[in-house]
Amino acid sequence: MDALDRAIIKELQRDGRVTNQELASLVGLTPAPCLRRVRRLEADGVIRGYSAVVDHDAMGLGLEVIVNAELVAKDWETVRDFESRVAAMDSVVELRRMFGLPDYLIRVRVRDTAEYERWVTADLMGDPAIARLDSRMTMKVLKGSS
């Protein structure tokens, strides 16, 4: 990967709907070699796809909560089952297994605090794998993906 590939990636991250003609102009290439580079980056798995940036408030999902979870046991069966259950939950938008503590970082998007309380009570508190939960509500996202 060279500087032109990095420039292409940066522009596509900024605007994934940019035309190849515009992209080529932005990175200083003609359209044909630019398209070849984009296709190669896609084929190599560097560019894994394209997505839309959404307004969570407009979708009725204005509250983001970061949940730290620690498990009772760390055996493979407990870990695998816990990950499957949590990853399948609609409110969970990100699930990360961490090194050290907490065992998991879970990013949740819900309508409001009442919905979050219902989610925690109904979906997490009864999970036998969980030893401890710690919630952090996002005040404002200053940088990062949504």
Side-chain angles (χ1 to χ4, degrees):
M1 184 167 338
D2 62 14
L4 280 172
D5 290 337
R6 286 192 227 4
I8 288 169
I9 291 166
K10 181 178 179 183
E11 291 300 331
L12 287 172
Q13 285 178 309
R14 192 180 58 71
D15 180 5
R17 294 182 64 153
V18 65
T19 67
N20 183 61
Q21 186 87 19
E22 293 167 325
L23 179 60
S25 176
L26 289 167
V27 299
L29 288 173
T30 58
C34 182
L35 184 58
R36 281 194 298 273
R37 282 177 177 262
V38 170
R39 296 289 184 244
R40 182 180 43 77
L41 290 166
E42 291 170 344
D44 291 348
V46 175
I47 297 174
R48 297 188 322 204
Y50 301 87
S51 61
V53 177
V54 299
D55 182 328
H56 296 289
D57 289 328
M59 291 179 57
L61 299 172
L63 180 65
E64 179 181 86
V65 183
I66 307 297
V67 180
N68 295 322
E70 295 178 24
L71 299 188
V72 172
K74 310 295 194 297
D75 61 277
W76 178 237
E77 185 177 352
T78 301
V79 166
R80 183 190 62 228
D81 292 348
F82 173 77
E83 288 176 357
S84 293
R85 282 191 303 275
V86 175
M89 296 175 182
D90 290 338
S91 296
V92 174
V93 296
E94 184 176 358
L95 174 62
R96 294 176 182 237
R97 185 187 315 154
M98 308 300 287
F99 286 106
L101 294 177
D103 297 318
Y104 291 90
L105 182 143
I106 308 166
R107 191 162 57 103
V108 177
R109 279 229 171 249
V110 291
R111 182 177 47 253
D112 53 26
T113 55
E115 185 176 328
Y116 177 68
E117 188 274 331
R118 281 189 299 275
W119 178 80
V120 169
T121 303
D123 293 344
L124 281 189
M125 288 176 97
D127 193 313
I130 296 177
R132 183 179 354 261
L133 293 174
D134 180 47
S135 301
R136 300 283 188 245
M137 292 188 182
T138 300
M139 180 186 298
K140 179 180 181 181
V141 176
L142 302 171
K143 182 178 181 178
S145 62
S146 18

